[in-house]
Amino acid sequence: MQFILQATGPSPDLAAIEQSIAALDPAVLLDVDATGQAVRISTVVTEDELLACLHRAGVQNGPRHLSRVPSQCCGGCGG
């Protein structure tokens, strides 16, 4: 699944977010837009699990700033 986390204020700590999610999904991918205010998260964890990971990583407003986006998967990898 893909999610977009809209950051408010300073850019979120990507290393902390990645480490927290990687405990459940070692293949998690994160990237940030050019402004540093939107983080794309590609993971197999559920939305509830992701929110818990974000909270552990210090993201306080996760539920209000997290949106699920449609998959852009072509299916070529079998995933």
Side-chain angles (χ1 to χ4, degrees):
M1 290 180 268
Q2 270 192 56
F3 299 89
I4 299 292
L5 175 64
Q6 293 294 331
T8 57
S11 295
D13 183 348
L14 294 182
I17 293 171
E18 185 173 23
Q19 183 178 16
S20 182
I21 299 169
L24 298 176
D25 177 11
V28 63
L29 296 173
L30 284 87
D31 58 13
V32 179
D33 73 350
T35 68
Q37 294 300 304
V39 179
R40 182 175 56 173
I41 305 168
S42 297
T43 183
V44 297
V45 301
T46 67
E47 188 168 345
D48 288 338
E49 290 170 328
L50 179 56
L51 288 168
C53 289
L54 291 172
H55 184 72
R56 282 193 299 274
V59 176
Q60 300 303 316
N61 294 321
R64 292 189 311 202
H65 299 284
L66 185 70
S67 57
R68 186 172 173 191
V69 294
S71 174
Q72 298 173 354
C73 177
C74 69
C77 67

